[in-house]
Amino acid sequence: MCVQCRLRGAAGCLSCELGFYKSAPGDQLCARCPPHSHSAAPAAQACHCDLSYYRAALDPPSSACTRPPSAPVNLISSVNGTSVTLEWAPPLDPGGRSDVTYNAVCRRCPWALSRCEACGSGTRFVPQQTSLVQASLLVANLLAHMNYSFWIEAVNGVSDLSPEPRRAAVVNITTNQAAPSQVVVIRQERAGQTSVSLLWQEPEQPNGIILEYEIKYYEKDKEMQSYSTLKAVTTRATVSGLKPGTRYVFQVRARTSAGCGRFSQAMEVETGKPRPRYDTRTIVWICLTLITGLVVLLLLLICKKRHCGYSKAFQDSDEEKMHYQNGQAPPPVFLPLHHPPGKLPEPQFYAEPHTYEEPGRAGRSFTREIEASRIHIEKIIGSGESGEVCYGRLQVPGQRDVPVAIKALKAGYTERQRRDFLSEASIMGQFDHPNIIRLEGVVTRGRLAMIVTEYMENGSLDAFLRTHDGQFTIMQLVGMLRGVGAGMRYLSDLGYVHRDLAARNVLVDSNLVCKVSDFGLSRVLEDDPDAAYTTTGGKIPIRWTAPEAIAFRTFSSASDVWSFGVVMWEVLAYGERPYWNMTNRDVISSVEEGYRLPAPMGCPRALHQLMLDCWHKDRAQRPRFSQIVSVLDALIRSPESLRATATVSRCPPPAFARSCFDLRGGSGGGGGLTVGDWLDSIRMGRYRDHFAAGGYSSLGMVLRMNAQDVRALGITLMGHQKKILGSIQTMRAQLTSTQGPRRHL
Ligand code: ACK
């Protein structure tokens, strides 16, 4: 039989024409060549792929020829310390195939080298580096303060057949500062009856200069009851004062100015058993030997005119070593953190004492230098541009440890940054008021730059209120504001202008006492994420700043009063963002035109009036802090004055009403606003498809979503999840405000 027959009959066999093929004998007709293929001659058994098109090994001859995909699109990165999350959208041209997967190529580009190099085996890719099916990836274990370049290639079943380079989307990032990685190798060097010597390796990723190591140890199974810590500046230490014949657990971690790394795996060591008891004959023999030895020694010493005591010869060898280590150069290898005062000489931890330059004359006399060894950092509680904030304990001789917050300047600072950073301490050190954060001291020796303050259990006021939305009585809220007002009255009496008073810069302790914080030269300029550059130069937290200070940089106690009014609004609105999602430009122009923030839900009229007074256009007409405190005191004394609530409106001025969702209209909620409009308004439009795929077709449905629902849509970036959930919450609040006032307990 003629396999290429188009027709069989009297004329015999007619071969398939050009553009047709027949792959196997049979009665079927010749088939047209599939897309992107052709037959080079009549009677073709298969069609060849056009130039730049291919057929994968398992593709049947009847399938279209395909080509490699184009590059993925919309690659976005989100850096978190030394990890980065990458997300992208599929290529616009999948090459005619549905088997597109992605590979990640990681290259790091050290500042010192003019070229990039492969990232190395330590880098972790989650879920994997190649053959990714989903369009996102987490890359972890990167080096801190390093430039990286990530290439995301799209490949399909024919990519390997093409000689063309693969198409990739590229993103360049710089990692941030991070705590050191875990100490992984820890060894026992020696174990005596009462001491254990340890040796370990520097963590693989120090991510900065290692300031010290912390050795935590405890009797096995007794960690909960008590544990002790030692500090070491090298990678070995001897732990003394242990019980003989006891099993101990040891863990080591490194600390840099970025904070502490994770503790190493636990290592168990048993101290030596007590010496066995000797029989009488042995004891007599030992005594005789000792007496003979002593007599000889005495004679020798008398001959040498006795210039040192010999009792040390009977001391525990470890104790002697410890004494030596703490008394001689080079600097001590380790230091017990909780040793009783007076037992050991006060250690000089860092060899080069360094005095920092003060920004004014006042400086040094208002700050107290704290030995780094007296601070025991336990965890990182926050971070800013200039470094991390840690929770720790400060050892005070003869007293119980004091919980403290430690602000550490990040590694790689310039001399100016260090001076500005420490200026906060020299300013704070001059204040002494129950509503101003108290300075415990500074650590400035060597390369260290830390500010140690009292610890405020409930953190910053804005975050605290957001997590306790609606949970306080009006009286409690007014009490908090009274504290902030009293702190500000004290500062203004001293002639100090804060310039960045905002709920985020007020800290709350366990008794709900609010204290003003964040002083110093660098804070407004660098650290405040809400500060924006203005045309008059410098960075200003627009939403909190009086118009004259924005326009002419005329900061004064009266401009602090304006900011206090905004803090009042933040407190009554439980941490809501002032002016919602209006842009800074819109805030400036609407305030200029006379718009003022409306009363938050359930806000007493008297409090909103006080806010409006603080926002008087003419700064001379604004109340002084002393008057503000008096008004708040009067309100606290007569609670009935707080009963009348102001008229509620949660909307920005009409010109910017786009950001105020009218949720009353329409059965689905949202009054005609689509899910897409809403996502666009919060700059999350990239997730339109996610919401559509999840079946969320109206804002009414979106309003019922919770965190789990948002994650289920495949939105992996934490920041984006938060943004979306925050906006949903705001919309719900707007809806509630149109239905009735917030209930204060
Ligand atoms: O809201 P938070 O927990 O409170 O997160 C921020 C973070 O550090 C960065 O500023 C917290 N923080 C700052 N100073 C202190 C302090 N003295 N006591 C407790 N937390 C503090 C703040």
Side-chain angles (χ1 to χ4, degrees):
M1 177 167 26
C2 177
V3 289
Q4 296 89 10
C5 267
R6 176 162 60 87
L7 272 175
R8 202 148 33 97
C13 178
L14 285 180
S15 53
C16 294
E17 290 169 5
L18 271 181
F20 287 83
Y21 77 106
K22 186 167 173 183
S23 55
D27 287 338
Q28 72 276 27
L29 298 177
C30 295
R32 188 181 288 280
C33 282
H36 305 298
S37 69
H38 59 276
S39 56
Q45 275 183 282
C47 298
H48 298 292
C49 289
D50 297 343
L51 191 66
S52 303
Y53 281 86
Y54 309 91
R55 207 171 264 132
L58 295 179
D59 289 349
S62 57
S63 67
C65 288
T66 53
R67 59 181 176 177
S70 58
V73 290
N74 299 340
L75 174 58
I76 52 166
S77 63
S78 154
V79 179
N80 181 3
T82 53
S83 303
V84 59
T85 306
L86 301 171
E87 284 188 311
W88 56 91
L92 297 177
D93 173 13
R97 306 184 65 90
S98 57
D99 57 355
V100 175
T101 57
Y102 308 96
N103 299 331
V105 178
C106 171
R107 297 180 63 70
R108 71 172 165 234
C109 315
W111 305 101
L113 297 183
S114 51
R115 57 192 165 72
C116 301
E117 57 195 20
C119 286
S121 56
T123 313
R124 209 156 59 85
F125 297 84
V126 182
Q128 73 245 7
Q129 186 173 6
T130 55
S131 308
L132 287 158
V133 181
Q134 82 280 28
S136 64
L137 168 70
L138 172 83
V139 189
N141 282 7
L142 300 171
L143 301 180
H145 294 302
M146 177 64 77
N147 295 327
Y148 282 90
S149 187
F150 292 98
W151 297 55
I152 302 294
E153 299 173 346
V155 291
N156 64 15
V158 294
S159 290
D160 285 341
L161 303 175
S162 165
E164 302 262 311
R166 293 189 176 169
R167 314 265 171 72
V170 184
V171 67
N172 297 321
I173 62 131
T174 304
T175 49
N176 296 330
Q177 111 161 341
S181 63
Q182 195 182 21
V183 169
V184 279
V185 183
I186 159 165
R187 240 171 357 100
Q188 162 197 343
E189 229 182 4
R190 195 180 64 80
Q193 271 185 45
T194 58
S195 68
V196 169
S197 296
L198 302 170
L199 185 66
W200 58 89
Q201 271 181 14
E202 189 176 277
E204 221 168 75
Q205 288 171 25
N207 294 333
I209 299 164
I210 295 188
L211 304 171
E212 63 191 13
Y213 291 95
E214 191 177 290
I215 304 111
K216 172 176 169 184
Y217 63 97
Y218 47 90
E219 278 182 54
K220 188 165 184 228
D221 303 326
K222 294 198 181 158
E223 184 186 8
M224 290 301 154
Q225 291 162 26
S226 75
Y227 67 83
S228 307
T229 48
L230 289 182
K231 292 206 170 181
V233 286
T234 65
T235 52
R236 54 161 36 101
T238 300
V239 183
S240 315
L242 305 176
K243 289 191 208 155
T246 308
R247 187 158 275 277
Y248 281 91
V249 176
F250 296 89
Q251 288 177 287
V252 179
R253 68 178 176 184
R255 186 172 72 80
T256 64
S257 65
C260 293
R262 276 178 51 209
F263 270 116
S264 64
Q265 295 282 337
M267 188 188 65
E268 289 184 26
V269 180
E270 189 163 351
T271 49
K273 299 245 167 11
R275 288 190 195 95
R277 293 186 178 280
Y278 300 107
D279 60 28
T280 326
R281 270 181 57 193
T282 319
I283 291 170
V284 170
W285 186 84
I286 291 172
C287 287
L288 279 176
T289 316
L290 274 176
I291 290 165
T292 318
L294 274 176
V295 170
V296 172
L297 207 64
L298 264 175
L299 286 173
L300 271 173
L301 283 167
I302 288 164
C303 291
K304 287 179 123 189
K305 290 198 191 155
R306 246 177 47 191
H307 47 252
C308 67
Y310 54 86
S311 60
K312 259 192 181 171
F314 297 99
Q315 284 182 352
D316 180 274
S317 61
D318 288 316
E319 215 174 286
E320 195 168 57
K321 191 173 165 202
M322 196 151 105
H323 193 84
Y324 166 80
Q325 282 175 330
N326 282 287
Q328 311 277 322
V333 172
F334 70 90
L335 176 79
L337 190 70
H338 305 303
H339 73 78
K343 203 174 174 192
L344 289 171
E346 185 73 315
Q348 182 65 56
F349 222 44
Y350 302 98
E352 285 177 28
H354 179 78
T355 309
Y356 65 87
E357 249 186 272
E358 296 294 343
R361 278 164 177 255
R364 216 170 159 65
S365 53
F366 298 108
T367 60
R368 191 161 56 103
E369 181 72 32
I370 298 179
E371 285 291 331
S373 58
R374 284 178 47 210
I375 300 168
H376 179 200
I377 293 180
E378 295 192 358
K379 62 179 178 191
I380 296 177
I381 52 176
S383 59
E385 269 301 298
S386 55
E388 247 83 33
V389 184
C390 303
Y391 163 75
R393 300 200 149 261
L394 174 67
Q395 200 189 24
V396 185
Q399 287 177 29
R400 292 181 62 172
D401 290 356
V402 182
V404 285
I406 303 129
K407 251 189 185 178
L409 183 59
K410 73 179 168 198
Y413 50 78
T414 62
E415 214 20 66
R416 165 130 199 238
Q417 282 170 326
R418 177 184 163 95
R419 210 180 52 221
D420 287 354
F421 174 79
L422 290 171
S423 71
E424 173 164 16
S426 48
I427 293 170
M428 215 189 305
Q430 299 174 53
F431 303 143
D432 178 17
H433 188 273
N435 296 105
I436 303 290
I437 197 81
R438 190 185 66 250
L439 176 76
E440 293 287 354
V442 291
V443 181
T444 62
R445 299 254 161 88
R447 289 191 48 75
L448 293 176
M450 295 181 192
I451 297 177
V452 184
T453 62
E454 66 180 308
Y455 180 65
M456 300 289 283
E457 293 81 353
N458 282 315
S460 43
L461 179 59
D462 61 334
F464 174 67
L465 289 171
R466 279 196 285 271
T467 46
H468 294 88
D469 193 357
Q471 292 176 13
F472 298 113
T473 60
I474 284 289
M475 203 46 91
Q476 282 173 309
L477 298 179
V478 176
M480 293 180 202
L481 287 171
R482 201 264 173 208
V484 180
M488 290 307 298
R489 178 183 57 186
Y490 172 81
L491 293 180
S492 64
D493 285 350
L494 287 180
Y496 179 82
V497 178
H498 192 289
R499 297 201 302 168
D500 197 9
L501 177 62
R504 65 182 168 279
N505 291 330
V506 171
L507 293 163
V508 189
D509 78 3
S510 55
N511 297 317
L512 297 191
V513 174
C514 288
K515 305 196 183 192
V516 179
S517 78
D518 222 42
F519 307 97
L521 298 180
S522 63
R523 71 201 202 286
V524 180
L525 303 172
E526 282 158 27
D527 264 356
D528 192 337
D530 266 304
Y533 286 99
T534 61
T535 46
T536 48
K539 245 176 144 187
I540 288 177
I542 300 289
R543 283 154 212 272
W544 285 263
T545 306
E548 77 278 0
I550 295 175
F552 315 112
R553 299 188 65 76
T554 44
F555 289 92
S556 60
S557 288
S559 63
D560 277 352
V561 165
W562 179 290
S563 311
F564 180 82
V566 183
V567 172
M568 285 184 73
W569 190 91
E570 289 182 278
V571 169
L572 272 300
Y574 279 92
E576 174 73 272
R577 184 168 170 75
Y579 309 94
W580 305 278
N581 50 2
M582 284 168 66
T583 63
N584 280 335
R585 193 174 295 279
D586 292 345
V587 171
I588 293 174
S589 54
S590 46
V591 167
E592 199 52 47
E593 284 161 20
Y595 170 77
R596 295 293 182 267
L597 280 166
M601 276 177 286
C603 173
R605 196 183 302 146
L607 289 176
H608 189 233
Q609 187 53 54
L610 186 54
M611 293 178 207
L612 294 173
D613 293 344
C614 294
W615 300 327
H616 205 290
K617 189 175 172 59
D618 177 1
R619 64 180 169 163
Q621 301 295 318
R622 292 173 206 154
R624 292 171 192 281
F625 279 113
S626 52
Q627 293 167 309
I628 291 174
V629 176
S630 303
V631 171
L632 293 174
D633 280 342
L635 293 174
I636 291 170
R637 278 196 303 272
S638 54
E640 68 282 1
S641 58
L642 293 167
R643 281 212 192 102
T645 51
T647 317
V648 174
S649 156
R650 302 270 295 187
C651 296
F656 310 104
R658 185 173 156 62
S659 49
C660 173
F661 304 103
D662 177 9
L663 294 161
R664 284 157 288 191
S667 57
L673 197 74
T674 67
V675 176
D677 290 342
W678 161 65
L679 285 169
D680 286 344
S681 76
I682 58 169
R683 292 201 219 111
M684 291 284 111
R686 74 192 68 175
Y687 295 117
R688 276 163 177 266
D689 292 347
H690 293 63
F691 277 78
Y696 293 94
S697 53
S698 72
L699 272 189
M701 295 168 86
V702 168
L703 277 170
R704 287 189 283 276
M705 290 178 83
N706 58 24
Q708 209 178 345
D709 298 331
V710 173
R711 277 195 298 274
L713 294 183
I715 298 170
T716 50
L717 287 178
M718 280 289 278
H720 293 180
Q721 287 176 11
K722 276 193 190 157
K723 194 159 190 185
I724 289 167
L725 283 165
S727 174
I728 292 175
Q729 258 176 9
T730 308
M731 287 196 291
R732 278 198 206 121
Q734 285 173 2
L735 191 62
T736 319
S737 77
T738 62
Q739 290 167 348
R742 184 203 290 273
R743 253 169 32 91
H744 287 282
L745 300 175

